[in-house]
Amino acid sequence: MSMKIEKIVGPAIPLRGDDIDTDRIIPARFLRCVTFDTLGPHAFEDDRKQDPDHVFNQEKFQNAEVLFAGNNFGCGSSREHAPQSLQKWGIKAVVGLSFAEIFFGNCNAMGIPCAKVTPEDLETLYKVAESDPTVEFTVDVDTLTVSWNGGRVNAEIPAGVRDTFLQGTWNATAVLQQAEGDIQAVANALPYINNFQ
Amino acid sequence: MGKTLLDKVWEKHTVRELPSGQSQLFIGLHLIHEVTSPQAFAMLKELNLPVKFPNRTFATMDHIIPTQSQARPLVDSLAEEMVVALTESCKEHNITLYDLESKQQGVVHIIGPEKGLTQPGMTIACGDSHTSTHGAFGAIAFGIGTSNIRDVLATGCLAMSKPKVRQVRVEGELKPGVYAKDVALYIIHKLGVKGGVGYAYEYAGSTFENMTMEERLTVCNMSIEGGARCGYINPDQVTFDYLKGREMVPEGEAFERAVEYWKSNASDDDAEFDDVVVYNAQDIEPMVTWGINPAQSSPVSGHVPNPENLEGAEQTSVAEALEYMQLSGDQDIKGIPLDVTFIGSCTNGRLSDLRIAAEIAKGRKVAENVQAIVVPGSMEVARQAVAEGLDKVFKEAGFEWRLAGCSMCLAMNPDKLQGDQMCASSSNRNFKGRQGSPTGRTLLMSPAMVAASSIAGKVADVRELD
């Protein structure tokens, strides 16, 4: 069993923009590695080089644990290196308008809740974080809210995924293993497993 | 009410409903490669677990493989380390590996179909988003990350939520000069890059029915660019004819049994879909992307949108794209100057793609301002192309004929754009920095359009070649 994740509390980093793909989160050249350990400092490396004011460059956001993002965050490549680099950088939860599916699945399997909020609420969150980077936000997986000293908005995580965090089953290996006999039965019933002999 | 192919395949592969409400889904074919699997094998070692179904797991190396010299050890020591890691993991766990020495190496989504590993009615997972490609056979195939790879290695299963199904129907005959790639780009343009999130796409209608397997592979490959994690086409005679005689496909009576099984997985005539969209093939022109995501595209006869005529978020995203691409609003697509052209990738690196491009290249010359490269999708594709003399046609026309690999599609290998070079590419992504230079620029199009544009030295309409 993995650790139960009920809430994440910490300062936030407000990353604006839609359709930010995983190539931008971690450019492909950093995928030439056999561990994830060294990825943290390379998160958004090319975006940061071209934009000195990029939020990931700003000193005041370096302690952030919650990432605020726009629409379709994490689209493109399935590389888990993307959420791994964010996690190594310090991110423990992502709050955004919407998430690409594979990125969302990878975050789930790594224990990073991704919660959706409405455009109006995201704008509020952006503004609070931008005006005071020390504000601590609570992403509450149980009550499905994002709150801070002065406000609270509703958030959305699909029920099945939310339960994996609350039950501590987001690292699915052990759970999947429990059905050992059933797995073999399903495999045996598929004619292609024995090449239709 | 009838069932969709997704319903049937999902049902047959469901081990149980998990306490979270997700399905425990059995994965019938697991494809792995050097980039996203080493960490998964390390996790497995930490858990002290074997690979549960080594016979259902197949490996190759593609992303980091150079296309100019594949002599070992590879010049890039990090790439060599990854090749060694995959080789050792496969040896340790008795996994079949199509490596360079086997002479059967290639892009994972090219060799799966080529060897007959990919079959209708399977669930297929691979640590690569373009795994959707395999759906062309009527399989449910999707990309996964490394933690998921660990789960499949350890248990043969994934914890998944069942997607909804949108039928994307295209009817009619494609106009001359319009290819499967254009259909894919057209659909993404219509439905957007996140239109498919939460859905599997079932491609149906006469346009897809009339496509060859290789064309269907191109369409399904691009599903993920529209946000759909998987896309599929119901298996039919075209599928069965393609599979017959391939290395991993059963023969004789077993083949007949297989065909019956494959047919039984197709969507029922009265299947209900969560959504249906219908397009007319006659409305589709050769497509070219002008922006930084695959939905930002236009018919080649059109022009770049002008942000001044747009509002809100769309205005912002178009302006951002045009700034990065160094294009101006209302600029004609035709005539955009090029520095590099690339024919290859899991989208368009198959034999039929090379044949079409070679036909255009034959007797013509690549423009002086352009570096043009052709990268076969697998060693087998390369052998067949050479047997047909396609390599000679390309070389005579001034294209570089390379060795098999992912090459400039994602530039994890030496094939990269330099500075802000503009590249006409038959690949699948035009993201910022995708082709290896943080300021490099990509225009996605069909291999035919890339070939025509290579000759012209600028974006050209393949229908207007002299």
Side-chain angles (χ1 to χ4, degrees), chain A residues 90-107:
Chain A
I91 298 300
K92 296 191 175 78
V94 190
V95 176
L97 291 182
S98 66
F99 302 95
E101 216 166 311
I102 304 179
F103 177 87
F104 182 88
N106 287 341
C107 286

Side-chain angles (χ1 to χ4, degrees), chain B residues 340-356:
Chain B
V340 177
T341 62
F342 168 59
I343 296 171
S345 85
C346 59
T347 313
N348 283 123
R350 282 169 284 268
L351 186 64
S352 56
D353 299 312
L354 303 188
R355 281 180 182 152
I356 290 164

Side-chain angles (χ1 to χ4, degrees), chain B residues 255-363:
Chain B
F255 181 77
E256 300 309 320
R257 279 196 294 276
V259 169
E260 285 315 304
Y261 178 73
W262 294 339
K263 279 183 183 165
S264 73
N265 286 296
S267 293
D268 297 326
D269 290 339
D270 58 346
E272 267 192 39
F273 298 92
D274 299 286
D275 189 31
V276 178
V277 292
V278 184
Y279 302 117
N280 183 347
Q282 289 285 311
D283 293 340
I284 306 176
E285 303 272 315
M287 298 290 284
V288 178
T289 64
W290 46 260
I292 52 172
N293 74 52
Q296 292 179 320
S297 63
S298 160
V300 62
S301 58
H303 51 80
V304 174
N306 193 333
E308 282 173 23
N309 303 331
L310 302 167
E311 286 175 359
E314 201 187 355
Q315 183 182 51
T316 313
S317 79
V318 170
E320 184 195 355
L322 296 194
E323 190 192 346
Y324 182 83
M325 294 299 290
Q326 300 174 40
L327 296 172
S328 28
D330 296 328
Q331 183 177 345
D332 286 341
I333 298 286
K334 229 170 19 181
I336 295 174
L338 300 171
D339 304 300
V340 177
T341 62
F342 168 59
I343 296 171
S345 85
C346 59
T347 313
N348 283 123
R350 282 169 284 268
L351 186 64
S352 56
D353 299 312
L354 303 188
R355 281 180 182 152
I356 290 164
E359 201 172 302
I360 290 158
K362 194 166 192 167

Side-chain angles (χ1 to χ4, degrees), chain A residues 22-136:
Chain A
T22 53
D23 274 84
R24 282 170 69 184
I25 299 174
I26 188 83
R29 62 183 181 280
F30 298 114
L31 273 55
R32 288 152 56 246
C33 57
V34 294
T35 77
F36 293 127
D37 301 342
T38 57
L39 294 176
H42 300 301
F44 291 107
E45 179 146 322
D46 289 347
D47 277 10
R48 285 192 288 115
K49 272 192 185 152
Q50 288 167 76
D51 176 11
D53 294 332
H54 193 280
V55 285
F56 275 73
N57 280 337
Q58 295 183 33
E59 196 50 46
K60 59 185 182 190
F61 293 121
Q62 296 304 307
N63 297 322
E65 294 180 43
V66 179
L67 173 62
F68 294 157
N71 248 316
N72 201 26
F73 186 69
C75 59
S77 161
S78 64
R79 60 188 69 166
E80 190 170 304
H81 306 67
Q84 289 280 355
S85 73
L86 295 175
Q87 191 180 56
K88 301 280 182 293
W89 190 89
I91 298 300
K92 296 191 175 78
V94 190
V95 176
L97 291 182
S98 66
F99 302 95
E101 216 166 311
I102 304 179
F103 177 87
F104 182 88
N106 287 341
C107 286
N108 183 14
M110 290 169 57
I112 303 174
C114 293
K116 281 207 258 189
V117 292
T118 65
E120 295 73 28
D121 288 343
L122 180 69
E123 195 51 42
T124 305
L125 295 172
Y126 273 146
K127 284 188 174 141
V128 174
E130 282 163 353
S131 61
D132 184 358
T134 65
V135 171
E136 294 217 329

Side-chain angles (χ1 to χ4, degrees), chain A residues 4-5 11 15 20 33 48 62 64 71 84 93 100-101 112 125 145 150 153 157 160-161 166:
Chain A
K4 287 183 184 173
I5 298 172
L15 179 69
I20 292 180
C33 57
R48 285 192 288 115
Q62 296 304 307
N71 248 316
Q84 289 280 355
E101 216 166 311
I112 303 174
L125 295 172
T145 55
V153 300
I157 301 174
V161 171
L166 296 178

Side-chain angles (χ1 to χ4, degrees), chain A residues 32 80 101 173 175 180 192, chain B residues 13 16 52 76 147 151 198:
Chain A
R32 288 152 56 246
E80 190 170 304
E101 216 166 311
T173 315
V175 182
E180 180 110 11
Y192 68 80
Chain B
H13 291 77
R16 60 171 176 152
K52 176 93 175 147
D76 178 354
S147 297
D151 291 345

